[in-house]
Amino acid sequence: MVLLEMSIVPMGKGESVSAYVAQCVELIDQSGLDYELHSMGTIVEGELDQVLALMQQCIETVAKASDRVTCTAKLDYREGASGRLRSKVASVEEKLGKKAGRVS
């Protein structure tokens, strides 16, 4: 299983790109894969071929509205492990003895 963190941004579309992010999140949601949206990107969990195909689909969708698209991606491949989208955070919180994260 793989965790893929990706951030896909159309160039030349102004400061706010949330409309394009929403298009990608809709594709990710339709995929049926587990995911988590955060302020700097989206993390998706699935098989390597699934997450890479999904990232390509997101890039191609954003590219329909922009001649130039940037993508930052990070992969965590771990054979036989699933459910890590939640379990990795839970492991840290267990060691902390509390929930992690603070938003003012």
Side-chain angles (χ1 to χ4, degrees):
M1 292 292 282
V2 173
L3 291 177
L4 167 67
E5 181 177 33
M6 61 180 161
S7 175
I8 299 168
V9 180
M11 302 300 288
K13 295 298 179 181
E15 288 185 29
S16 177
V17 294
S18 60
Y20 305 99
V21 171
Q23 290 176 338
C24 291
V25 171
E26 184 60 33
L27 292 171
I28 294 166
D29 193 61
Q30 290 172 5
S31 77
L33 297 175
D34 288 341
Y35 70 95
E36 182 176 299
L37 174 68
H38 58 87
S39 61
M40 298 296 289
T42 305
I43 305 170
V44 182
E45 183 172 23
E47 296 297 336
L48 181 60
D49 59 336
Q50 293 175 307
V51 299
L52 292 177
L54 185 57
M55 182 172 65
Q56 180 178 354
Q57 188 179 7
C58 289
I59 291 168
E60 290 172 348
T61 296
V62 173
K64 290 176 185 174
S66 179
D67 292 333
R68 187 172 183 187
V69 177
T70 65
C71 176
T72 304
K74 185 170 30 172
L75 283 169
D76 181 358
Y77 179 91
R78 186 169 179 184
E79 189 69 37
S82 64
R84 292 184 310 129
L85 191 61
R86 301 278 179 255
S87 67
K88 288 178 74 165
V89 174
S91 178
V92 171
E93 289 177 338
E94 178 185 342
K95 288 163 182 68
L96 285 170
K98 63 180 179 179
K99 290 279 189 189
R102 180 183 333 222
V103 178
S104 298

